[in-house]
Amino acid sequence: MDQVRTEQTPSPARGLWRFLEKDPIEADLGRRRFRLRAGQAPGVLTAAEKSYVLGFNAVLSQEIHVVGRLPYEQQPFGWEGAAAAATALDLITLTRGRRLHELLAGPAQSHPYAAHVGAGRAHALLRLPPTWGLRRAHPLLRWLAIDGYGFQRSMVKADLMVGERAMPELALRAHCAIFDQGLGRLLWYHDCASPDDVAARVAAYPVPRRADLWSGIGFAACHTGGAEADELEQLAVYAGADGFRQHLALGGAFACAAWMAAGVLPEHAEVAAPILAGAPAEEAGTWPDAALVALGHDPHTHDDFLSWRAQTRRVWARRHRLDAPD
């Protein structure tokens, strides 16, 4: 993997954009004082952030093609970084989302989830509200920018958001639910995909915030990976004991949908889906689409996005009622 990445590293950015360029060392989670442990997890999580940095720098150097050369299981993270850089440039130059729109309509069209999350990470980097300047993004998926904002803000402010469990300062209180989903994804990285440590971390937050945290954890566990099957089973036990089993499944289902949109299902997602979502990845990945149909015509508001998540949870609940023994 390291050799492939070295060959694909984009050229240094030129001109004014050099000040935005990311040092690959930013992908080292140990430098952020995140927990590291034995096993595959540190390598898996660090590889995802390395791909994010590569994608970010590829846009600055105008060598976006290098993202497409990443191994398929790393491409979502590369496009996430590319979308973050494109959004940052749009925000700085006041181009009303032109670069992000072109990315979504072109090379990143198979990775809409990752790209919208990346847009939110750019807002956090520039300390701008996560819903500003996204008029040309997908009318419903644009709310994922708040998730990306939550992930990035919590990464750089881990002492505050993780250590002190601070509430984010957002324009609307209702946005905090999606922010916490991004924070939940960050907890998976912060505690190195350890079910024991992640569950203990969630338990320290107030109960009203835990549902969204578990949703983000489910997404990261299925989308990024890093845990073995027995660890994922323990994670499901913890979520169930906390009363938020369906929210963990929600995250897993959205992760499968993201992978299916990309046209691939990596092995770690195929292993995780039956454990976290309680269904094969190919089935769980269809639940968000089914829930979207149930929303009716032109869903686009923040409430529509929350209803989309709720409908997906209902699909899971109906499925498991049918599977329950008589």
Side-chain angles (χ1 to χ4, degrees), residues 68-253:
R69 296 176 183 171
L70 286 169
Y72 73 88
E73 71 275 8
Q74 290 300 315
Q75 288 195 21
F77 310 106
W79 292 118
E80 182 180 328
T87 302
L89 294 179
D90 281 337
L91 292 170
I92 291 170
T93 59
L94 302 177
T95 48
R96 299 185 178 184
R98 176 181 60 81
R99 294 177 181 85
L100 177 63
H101 177 75
E102 291 174 353
L103 196 69
L104 285 166
Q109 62 183 309
S110 296
H111 299 275
Y113 288 77
H116 285 86
V117 165
R121 293 187 69 167
H123 284 77
L125 289 170
L126 298 179
R127 301 181 183 181
L128 292 172
T131 56
W132 191 74
L134 290 176
R135 294 179 181 177
R136 300 183 69 182
H138 188 282
L140 191 62
L141 291 183
R142 66 192 175 98
W143 296 107
L144 285 171
I146 303 175
D147 179 310
Y149 181 89
F151 181 93
Q152 183 67 35
R153 178 78 181 275
S154 301
M155 174 177 281
V156 300
K157 297 287 186 181
D159 289 347
L160 184 65
M161 297 298 171
V162 179
E164 299 181 21
R165 299 173 294 283
M167 286 291 291
E169 297 176 2
L170 296 174
L172 296 178
R173 194 69 168 179
H175 291 168
C176 292
I178 309 176
F179 180 100
D180 276 345
Q181 184 172 284
L183 170 57
R185 290 194 302 112
L186 188 277
L187 293 181
W188 187 250
Y189 285 67
H190 187 278
D191 288 300
C192 205
S194 166
D196 294 345
D197 294 322
V198 168
R201 189 77 64 180
V202 173
Y205 285 83
V207 172
R209 298 184 66 182
R210 294 182 195 171
D212 300 300
L213 295 175
W214 279 115
S215 175
I217 290 164
F219 187 96
C222 191
H223 191 258
T224 309
E228 303 288 351
D230 59 332
E231 295 176 318
L232 294 171
E233 289 169 357
Q234 187 60 51
L235 187 71
V237 169
Y238 282 134
D242 203 20
F244 298 108
R245 180 66 184 84
Q246 63 178 295
H247 293 83
L248 184 75
L250 167 68

Side-chain angles (χ1 to χ4, degrees), residues 278-289:
E282 294 86 349
E283 178 187 342
T286 66
W287 296 349
D289 289 338

Side-chain angles (χ1 to χ4, degrees), residues 11-91:
S11 305
R14 298 177 181 178
L16 294 176
W17 305 136
R18 294 189 65 177
F19 78 95
L20 286 175
E21 194 169 38
K22 289 188 170 295
D23 189 328
I25 203 170
E26 291 186 37
D28 184 351
L29 301 180
R31 292 184 72 253
R32 297 184 181 275
R33 295 182 289 118
F34 285 13
R35 183 181 182 273
L36 299 179
R37 65 185 179 113
Q40 65 167 332
V44 169
L45 301 175
T46 298
E49 277 301 289
K50 282 184 177 179
S51 296
Y52 167 82
V53 170
L54 181 146
F56 193 99
N57 289 341
V59 167
L60 300 182
S61 64
Q62 298 183 343
E63 295 178 358
I64 191 64
H65 61 277
V66 303
V67 179
R69 296 176 183 171
L70 286 169
Y72 73 88
E73 71 275 8
Q74 290 300 315
Q75 288 195 21
F77 310 106
W79 292 118
E80 182 180 328
T87 302
L89 294 179
D90 281 337
L91 292 170

